[in-house]
Amino acid sequence: MQLPKTMISEEDIRKRVDELAAQISIDYADKDEIVLVGVLKGAFIFLADLSRRLSIPRHIEFIAVSSYEHGSTRSGAVRLVMDVRRSIEGKHVLIVEDIVDTGHTLHYLIDMLKSRNPASVKTCTLLHKEHKTEVDVEIDYLGFSIGDEWVVGYGLDYDEKDRTLPYIGMIDPSD
Ligand code: PRP
């Protein structure tokens, strides 16, 4: 079985996650705690690595959403499948995503979490497909901007395959 071609190596991911964690630790240094909200499933590996490199008090939560699909295309509508367990009222929230593609998922999550009166809501994503944007969202911490390639690994899947690859790989789904 052939492995997907490397787009971002393990080493480059590690360096970038270190940089992001250092920046987040500086930016939140005067806060009591940060609540990291990982978006399942894709963000589970990025969240695990990022959270362990922070030098500030943190609390981990997960949330799961699902996109409505019409055949093979997504409608842009998003629904909540699993909520965070603890109230975020008065908390500093950082949403952690593996990838922002059209922006619909992050847009939905920002709106929903902001409506719960947190102290702040910011966003962090490992990958961003800039020219796939359909709805603008503010990305406060970005790992890498990428093109329109189909990417897998480090939490991202193609039909549930390749999520646990240690690097970000590119595949051609028509192969
Ligand atoms: C991916 C990714 C984001 C979303 C981004 O999740 O993890 O949550 O798509 O897409 P958007 O910007 O177009 O809304 P996916 O639906 O593949 O689920 P998974 O994380 O469980 O694999």
Side-chain angles (χ1 to χ4, degrees):
M1 195 187 74
Q2 214 185 339
L3 285 171
K5 200 170 146 200
T6 303
M7 174 191 263
I8 308 170
S9 70
E10 263 188 276
E11 178 60 18
D12 287 346
I13 295 172
R14 192 164 29 243
K15 279 191 203 147
R16 193 71 191 111
V17 174
D18 276 346
E19 289 167 0
L20 290 171
Q23 188 60 54
I24 293 166
S25 298
I26 291 169
D27 294 350
Y28 288 83
D30 61 341
K31 309 289 188 270
D32 290 344
E33 183 187 65
I34 180 174
V35 180
L36 301 167
V37 177
V39 186
L40 293 173
K41 300 178 192 175
F44 80 112
I45 292 178
F46 179 39
L47 179 70
D49 284 348
L50 184 74
S51 60
R52 286 180 295 174
R53 291 178 208 171
L54 295 174
S55 57
I56 50 171
R58 61 277 193 184
H59 173 90
I60 309 293
E61 290 286 340
F62 285 102
I63 205 161
V65 291
S66 172
S67 305
Y68 289 101
E69 293 181 18
H70 294 310
S72 59
T73 55
R74 291 180 169 192
S75 67
V78 177
R79 98 191 137 87
L80 186 65
V81 173
M82 189 193 91
D83 207 342
V84 295
R85 290 201 188 167
R86 210 168 77 165
S87 167
I88 56 160
E89 190 170 351
K91 305 286 185 188
H92 292 282
V93 172
L94 182 63
I95 304 171
V96 179
E97 264 286 23
D98 53 331
I99 187 165
V100 176
D101 191 334
T102 63
H104 286 290
T105 304
L106 198 53
H107 185 259
Y108 168 87
L109 287 172
I110 293 168
D111 272 6
M112 189 192 69
L113 295 175
K114 276 191 173 166
S115 73
R116 298 177 180 183
N117 300 317
S120 66
V121 176
K122 284 192 173 187
T123 60
C124 175
T125 184
L126 182 69
L127 306 174
H128 183 204
K129 287 187 176 177
E130 271 174 45
H131 32 263
K132 291 282 296 290
T133 301
E134 289 177 14
V135 49
D136 278 324
V137 283
E138 177 104 16
I139 296 174
D140 298 289
Y141 302 98
L142 169 64
F144 304 92
S145 267
I146 61 168
D148 196 14
E149 298 84 2
W150 197 294
V151 283
V152 293
Y154 202 69
L156 293 104
D157 72 310
Y158 174 65
D159 204 13
E160 289 304 324
K161 288 192 272 292
D162 293 326
R163 270 199 205 280
T164 54
L165 269 186
Y167 60 92
I168 301 286
M170 284 183 278
I171 58 161
D172 181 349
S174 63
D175 280 351

